[in-house]
Amino acid sequence: MGKRHLPTCLDSVLFKTVLLLIFCEQVNAQCKIIKCNSEYVSATLNLRGSGRNAEIQKCNALRSYSQCTRKTARTCRGDLIYHSAVHIIEDLMIQHNCSKEGPTASPRPQPPQPRPEGPRKQEACDYERTFREKHGKIPKYLHCGVFGDPHVRTFSGDFQTCRVNGSWPLLDNEYLFVQATSSPLSTMSNATVTTKITIIFKNMKQCIDQKVYQAEVDNLPAAFDDGSVNGGRRAGGSNLKIYDREPGSLIEIEAPYIGTTIRVRQLAKQLSFSLRMPEDISLAFQEEQDLQLCMGGCPASQFISRTKDVGRTSSISTDKAKSMCRAKLPVEDAYFQSCVFDVAISGDANMTNAAYYALEDAKDFLPEPGMLHIFSTGAANGRHIPVALILLLCLANTVQNL
């Protein structure tokens, strides 16, 4: 038998649908369906296997989910997310053979206020300090940046341009999940820009509560979805904070408990994402979490050549775009190429800012200055994607479309 439970296609699709509901636009403030969805995902996020105990826990969680939706039914009339959730609950209860009556998932207890030993626990939620004490050196840090078309600078230093219309995971590990949603730059082009970013800081026992951050174009909040600006009331809660560096333009999230810093910017009606993370944190994921743009770059079918494709859909000449980009990017590296691609396709001089600030973030986040500039002839000349990974991606896409 395999080591992992492989869910049925229906289970997989329904679960993905529940996740997507969380990432939908905010509903009426009185309708609490988003809270119901989040609680269900939190209750089932770490459930593995198909044994009796796992099925009991799934049914308990579904009954809690159903109760939550009933409580908010009056204020959610006419809301699409609410009605979708109700149908999903019914389908999942039938699939898992759950009775409508029975125990529910125990509500997560409120974390106690820090006791006198709190500061000592807080030190355990300082990743770099703990790593130094254990290994006698600072950890190895990696950088990932996503901006513009979108262009992706992976942890390994590959620089690629992706088509990736729709929602794609940038990161998916044991501590952090980041998803970017892209939309077409124009009806005449295959190019896309990031219009929404969702970040989930997963519950970590003694350090933080689960926190969700969502940003959209023209809505860059300086707080998590629950209105808080830190990791909650646990002893290490202060080791996750969100800062409004430039209101409406730049937020920064510092997460010392996992040694991570994130920046989300809005530039020219698009969002950009930049991150600094320890290597071993980035590698803390399972085989089924292998689709991550920050780890492996674009799927093979989603590559765009910055040099070949730019001439096919240009709004202005490449020479004019180069002239605009040189004003902010004097080194003709991959950032410069990305700038030329974006400006030529859009015809918008403001697109130069995306590449410029991505380079500025890289200056802050990269451990060695010599790693800053990347020189390449196109987006598709990165490392080869293993055949096994391509097959997995094809299988995932097939299941998703069932």
Side-chain angles (χ1 to χ4, degrees):
M1 295 179 63
K3 293 183 179 179
R4 292 186 179 83
H5 166 55
L6 295 177
T8 65
C9 291
L10 179 61
D11 196 13
S12 176
V13 173
L14 289 173
F15 186 72
K16 288 178 182 177
T17 304
V18 173
L19 281 175
L20 288 174
L21 290 175
I22 298 176
F23 307 141
C24 291
E25 295 182 358
Q26 292 293 333
V27 296
N28 186 295
Q30 293 182 331
C31 179
K32 304 298 183 184
I33 190 61
I34 296 293
K35 178 176 179 291
C36 298
N37 293 338
S38 298
E39 288 178 350
Y40 173 72
V41 171
S42 179
T44 57
L45 197 60
N46 296 317
L47 287 183
R48 304 272 185 191
S50 56
R52 174 67 178 163
N53 186 55
E55 290 299 309
I56 290 174
Q57 291 183 60
K58 288 176 186 176
C59 288
N60 292 349
L62 283 166
R63 282 189 285 267
S64 294
Y65 193 7
S66 181
Q67 283 185 7
C68 187
T69 57
R70 286 200 296 271
K71 289 178 182 178
T72 193
R74 186 176 62 82
T75 57
C76 290
R77 284 193 189 122
D79 185 85
L80 178 60
I81 299 177
Y82 165 77
H83 290 289
S84 298
V86 170
H87 288 302
I88 285 173
I89 293 168
E90 292 175 355
D91 289 340
L92 284 174
M93 290 190 76
I94 292 172
Q95 179 185 328
H96 293 290
N97 197 26
C98 302
S99 62
K100 292 185 178 180
E101 302 297 328
T104 57
S106 301
R108 186 172 60 191
Q110 291 294 324
Q113 294 293 335
R115 297 179 179 178
E117 67 268 27
R120 185 174 299 173
K121 287 186 177 180
Q122 186 169 339
E123 290 177 7
C125 296
D126 185 331
Y127 174 86
E128 184 170 311
R129 177 172 181 167
T130 302
F131 189 94
R132 271 202 319 264
E133 291 176 352
K134 183 177 181 180
H135 301 283
K137 60 181 181 179
I138 64 171
K140 178 182 179 181
Y141 286 100
L142 305 175
H143 165 59
C144 174
V146 180
F147 66 96
D149 176 68
H151 312 287
V152 179
R153 178 172 185 150
T154 70
F155 284 141
S156 61
D158 287 341
F159 208 111
Q160 304 173 357
T161 299
C162 308
R163 186 169 287 111
V164 292
N165 191 21
S167 297
W168 293 76
L170 305 182
L171 283 170
D172 185 9
N173 58 46
E174 298 304 307
Y175 305 96
L176 190 62
F177 175 83
V178 182
Q179 176 172 276
T181 301
S182 298
S183 304
L185 185 61
S186 72
T187 56
M188 303 298 292
S189 170
N190 286 329
T192 55
V193 293
T194 301
T195 54
K196 184 173 183 178
I197 292 175
T198 301
I199 305 170
I200 301 177
F201 293 89
K202 299 178 182 180
N203 176 58
M204 189 172 173
K205 193 174 180 182
Q206 66 183 19
C207 295
I208 67 154
D209 300 322
Q210 177 173 293
K211 294 290 178 178
V212 179
Y213 178 80
Q214 296 187 82
E216 297 182 71
V217 170
D218 296 328
N219 181 20
L220 200 65
F224 296 108
D225 273 10
D226 61 4
S228 66
V229 295
N230 58 38
R233 294 185 293 170
R234 299 187 184 186
S238 62
N239 283 327
L240 173 63
K241 290 184 179 179
I242 185 168
Y243 298 93
D244 198 4
R245 300 300 192 196
E246 298 173 16
S249 299
L250 170 63
I251 66 98
E252 185 170 286
I253 303 175
E254 293 185 357
Y257 76 101
I258 52 173
T260 298
T261 302
I262 294 173
R263 290 178 184 171
V264 179
R265 297 180 183 270
Q266 175 166 337
L267 301 160
K269 294 299 180 180
Q270 61 177 289
L271 301 178
S272 69
F273 170 85
S274 190
L275 168 138
R276 177 180 183 258
M277 171 177 279
E279 182 177 38
D280 59 347
I281 295 292
S282 75
L283 295 174
F285 61 91
Q286 304 298 317
E287 290 180 14
E288 64 267 22
Q289 297 169 295
D290 59 354
L291 179 55
Q292 305 176 51
L293 299 191
C294 281
M295 287 296 298
C298 315
S301 62
Q302 301 295 316
F303 280 120
I304 294 178
S305 170
R306 290 189 298 274
T307 54
K308 294 179 181 178
D309 291 353
V310 66
R312 299 173 184 170
T313 55
S314 297
S315 296
I316 63 174
S317 71
T318 302
D319 287 341
K320 187 174 181 180
K322 286 181 177 179
S323 178
M324 292 179 182
C325 292
R326 283 195 188 97
K328 288 195 170 184
L329 300 159
V331 178
E332 296 193 12
D333 60 358
Y335 290 97
F336 176 83
Q337 286 183 351
S338 300
C339 175
V340 172
F341 182 91
D342 292 345
V343 173
I345 287 180
S346 67
D348 185 356
N350 289 326
M351 295 289 283
T352 59
N353 289 328
Y356 171 77
Y357 283 108
L359 181 61
E360 291 299 298
D361 288 342
K363 288 178 183 177
D364 292 340
F365 288 162
L366 283 168
E368 299 175 19
M371 300 171 62
L372 180 60
H373 297 290
I374 296 175
F375 298 91
S376 61
T377 57
N381 64 342
R383 58 186 175 85
H384 295 292
I385 306 296
V387 174
L389 177 56
I390 294 175
L391 293 174
L392 283 171
L393 294 175
C394 292
L395 178 60
N397 187 59
T398 301
V399 171
Q400 190 173 12
N401 291 319
L402 287 177

